[in-house]
Amino acid sequence: MQDQHDKTTHFGFQEIPVDEKVDAVAKVFHSVAAKYDIMNDLMSGGVHRLWKMHTINQSGVRSGNKVLDIAGGTGDLTLKFSRIVGSQGKVVLADINDSMLKVGRDKLANRGVVGNVEFVQANAEALPFPDNTFDCITIAFGLRNVTNKDAAIASMYRVLKPGGRLLILEFSKPESECLSNIYDQYSFRLLPMMGKLIANDSESYRYLAESIRMHPDQETLKGMMDDVGFERTSYQNMTGGIVALHKGFKL
Ligand code: SAM
């Protein structure tokens, strides 16, 4: 019988044993945590803020709701949700990586967020929450780093309340060949250079570019959500498909 060390998965463009991927991804995010927010602004020219704002607008989250922001990292979505759900609601910022969680916790404390946010270290593949807990779950730029994406989507389905929604914000496949070529030049040449200059780490930013290319495209990801049981699944492309927002409901 094969064990987890014989089976392989991708880590960017490399094939590595399945049981080594979590540590490889952890190394990337331990390394980039301190510079994560500034690099996000630089790499996207600030556009990641618009993608996230659109996600919040599409989430339908209201005062009093319970929200899970899994792979929440430095807490951009959590910060906005905590203001919407108010004192009667709750936001759980969960992430597998304690360096990212620490940056998130400090940032939210500095912005005066207290009381309705809980920080939990957790793997998206095996969420440590009871069934039917959350009104809304978001995972932004997190799913492509997860080893077993089907397990993660199933775990999110389990902890959503009936009537609840999952929103997956992730890099995806550009709609036009021309955009795709420009984007390739940008991500394989410029990104690692910026990573080297700003964070003294070109390898992590090379992984970022490679992991984007290895992520399932729009239709494949929608199919994965359908397979787990999500209903009324849909997606919207943003910035020509560089990013897509997938949505699905647990009915
Ligand atoms: N959601 C934040 C944002 O949009 O700015 C952070 C995104 S960051 C690119 C990806 C995050 O996914 C990292 O904080 C990383 O630690 C987290 N992550 C990677 N694998 C994970 C897993 N299996 N379970 C939970 N979080 C994971």
Side-chain angles (χ1 to χ4, degrees):
M1 212 176 83
Q2 273 196 319
D3 69 15
Q4 292 295 299
H5 199 75
D6 296 325
K7 289 188 205 148
T8 63
T9 187
H10 52 83
F11 172 70
F13 290 165
Q14 296 172 52
E15 275 298 304
I16 62 168
V18 165
D19 61 358
E20 289 180 8
K21 176 151 172 168
V22 166
D23 286 344
V25 170
K27 230 173 115 191
V28 168
F29 288 102
H30 285 309
S31 167
V32 304
K35 293 274 167 58
Y36 180 80
D37 282 347
I38 186 165
M39 279 299 289
N40 259 0
D41 276 333
L42 284 173
M43 288 184 309
S44 70
V47 175
H48 76 104
R49 292 167 186 261
L50 302 179
W51 297 329
K52 287 171 179 163
M53 189 48 74
H54 186 66
T55 305
I56 301 277
N57 292 339
Q58 290 290 309
S59 71
V61 166
R62 300 188 304 269
S63 172
N65 278 177
K66 257 182 127 175
V67 178
L68 171 64
D69 181 19
I70 176 71
T74 61
D76 284 348
L77 291 181
T78 294
L79 181 62
K80 299 266 185 314
F81 281 135
S82 81
R83 296 194 169 130
I84 298 171
V85 302
S87 56
Q88 302 303 308
K90 185 174 156 186
V91 186
V92 177
L93 193 172
D95 199 287
I96 200 169
N97 189 291
D98 54 348
S99 303
M100 292 294 281
L101 273 176
K102 185 181 179 318
V103 176
R105 192 185 285 114
D106 292 349
K107 177 163 106 186
L108 267 56
N110 288 337
R111 304 278 176 95
V113 173
V114 277
N116 66 357
V117 176
E118 193 185 318
F119 299 86
V120 174
Q121 189 167 9
N123 187 338
E125 291 174 26
L127 292 167
F129 309 106
D131 297 359
N132 309 325
T133 301
F134 297 99
D135 299 288
C136 179
I137 299 179
T138 52
I139 179 163
F141 305 111
L143 190 63
R144 70 173 190 285
N145 301 294
V146 173
T147 311
N148 187 339
K149 296 171 185 48
D150 293 314
I153 296 169
S155 187
M156 293 184 244
Y157 184 86
R158 181 185 65 74
V159 302
L160 261 185
K161 287 181 188 169
R165 288 113 306 145
L166 168 66
L167 286 98
I168 303 176
L169 178 66
E170 189 51 272
F171 291 107
S172 206
K173 193 164 187 283
E175 290 164 298
S176 86
E177 185 104 352
C178 175
L179 179 61
S180 187
N181 290 337
I182 297 167
Y183 183 48
D184 271 356
Q185 292 298 321
Y186 170 75
S187 38
F188 289 110
R189 289 175 190 269
L190 231 70
L191 269 190
M193 265 166 60
M194 286 163 83
K196 175 83 193 149
L197 270 171
I198 313 291
N200 194 27
D201 179 359
S202 55
E203 279 310 301
S204 293
Y205 288 90
R206 192 179 318 284
Y207 161 73
L208 171 72
E210 293 179 0
S211 66
I212 291 169
R213 296 307 181 281
M214 299 306 287
H215 190 64
D217 65 15
Q218 287 86 335
E219 281 296 324
T220 308
L221 180 54
K222 181 179 177 302
M224 288 161 72
M225 294 170 74
D226 291 335
D227 289 348
V228 159
F230 279 99
E231 308 265 358
R232 289 165 48 202
T233 54
S234 62
Y235 62 83
Q236 291 173 292
N237 284 330
M238 291 185 266
T239 320
I242 285 179
V243 162
L245 178 64
H246 282 72
K247 190 169 5 171
F249 293 81
K250 176 170 171 179
L251 297 182

